[in-house]
Structure formats: structure tokens, C-alpha cells
Amino acid sequence: MKVKNVLILCAVILLGTNCHDNLHHVIRFSNDSPKDIYVMDFSGYPDTTEFERSRHFEGNAGLCSISAYSVEKVLWQRSGFISYYERIPSDTLMIYVFDLEMLRSNGWNANETMLLQRYDLSLQDLQQLGYQLSYPPSRNMRYVKMYPLYGEEPDS
């Protein structure tokens, strides 16, 4: 009887840990637009000019591209996002959403219209959103710091 109780307890702990850990290690991103998009992260907040563009797009485009009207797991942190936020220089992770076709056609030489959205996310923001983001931003993202602001269109 004791062995059975111990096994049941171990199973409950393992199952509960796996579900909980998945939320802390992966960000899911929903592309609710007719455009294919490219999503990348940068932890150098508040400096929005110095992110490592070529490293992200040139070698890793398949990892962070999301087809129109689909959902993908786009950002992973092996040690989890709580640990990640403890290591970054500020308390903010920037997530950039780019027009993938414009990037493929023009590279990083294109003007700023290739940037569709930028989210400035605290750990609390990610937790409240259940580690799920979307473009365009969903209603439950309206309080997240973003450019353009919630409900506004990107500059053309």
C-alpha cells in the first residue's frame, strides 16, 4: 500500500511539473493576420537600435517565421523565462514582429515599414498572458506596452 501511494504521489508531481514547466520555457505566438511574419526577441531594452539583426534573420529565419493564420512555438528558454529575466540587463524583453515577405525581398535595408509591431514585455506580462502572444495584438494584450499602440495601425 505504501509503495502504491508513493508511486501515485510521484506521478502527480511529475505530471504537474511538466505542464507547469512548458508554460515557463516556451512562448506560443498566434499570427492572426493574412501576412507571413517573422518574430524575434531582444533583451537590450531600452536600446531599440542595437539588436542583432543579421544573426537572427540570416541563419534562423525558419525558427521564428510564422505563416498567416497559424500558431507556432517561437521562443524557447532552456532554463525558463523566470531565470531568463533574472539574467537580462532590464526587466523587459522586446519582441519584434516583421513582415516576412518584405524582409526576404529587401533584407534589413528596407525602411521601418517592415516592422509591424513591437512588444515590450515584463515577466508579469508574459505570465498574465499565459506565455501566448499574437499579431495583431489580441484584446487581452491591450495593456502591454507596445508600438504601435493597441488599436493603432503601423505607419505606412
Side-chain angles (χ1 to χ4, degrees), residues 16-30:
T17 301
N18 287 339
C19 294
H20 186 68
D21 282 350
N22 285 339
L23 291 175
H24 287 99
H25 291 275
V26 176
I27 294 176
R28 295 177 57 89
F29 203 103
S30 176

Side-chain angles (χ1 to χ4, degrees), residues 21-76:
D21 282 350
N22 285 339
L23 291 175
H24 287 99
H25 291 275
V26 176
I27 294 176
R28 295 177 57 89
F29 203 103
S30 176
N31 180 3
D32 300 323
S33 79
K35 297 180 177 190
D36 292 346
I37 60 173
Y38 178 71
V39 177
M40 66 173 276
D41 64 305
F42 180 64
S43 61
Y45 186 85
D47 187 353
T48 60
T49 61
E50 293 297 323
F51 60 94
E52 301 172 66
R53 297 182 272 204
S54 61
R55 180 178 69 89
H56 286 280
F57 186 69
E58 300 298 330
N60 300 321
L63 295 176
C64 295
S65 61
I66 307 173
S67 300
Y69 302 111
S70 65
V71 178
E72 298 288 338
K73 294 176 183 175
V74 294
L75 301 171
W76 295 266

Side-chain angles (χ1 to χ4, degrees), residues 36-131:
D36 292 346
I37 60 173
Y38 178 71
V39 177
M40 66 173 276
D41 64 305
F42 180 64
S43 61
Y45 186 85
D47 187 353
T48 60
T49 61
E50 293 297 323
F51 60 94
E52 301 172 66
R53 297 182 272 204
S54 61
R55 180 178 69 89
H56 286 280
F57 186 69
E58 300 298 330
N60 300 321
L63 295 176
C64 295
S65 61
I66 307 173
S67 300
Y69 302 111
S70 65
V71 178
E72 298 288 338
K73 294 176 183 175
V74 294
L75 301 171
W76 295 266
Q77 287 298 321
R78 175 173 275 173
S79 61
F81 281 95
I82 292 172
S83 176
Y84 176 75
Y85 272 88
E86 291 171 353
R87 294 187 316 267
I88 63 176
S90 71
D91 64 349
T92 303
L93 174 65
M94 293 182 285
I95 306 290
Y96 291 87
V97 180
F98 295 100
D99 182 323
L100 184 60
E101 184 58 37
M102 188 173 285
L103 275 176
R104 285 185 175 151
S105 300
N106 303 313
W108 291 105
N109 298 322
N111 61 28
E112 288 186 11
T113 60
M114 68 183 177
L115 176 63
L116 300 172
Q117 193 77 49
R118 187 186 89 212
Y119 302 117
D120 297 344
L121 298 156
S122 68
L123 178 60
Q124 233 180 6
D125 291 331
L126 275 179
Q127 290 170 330
Q128 289 172 349
L129 294 168
Y131 296 86

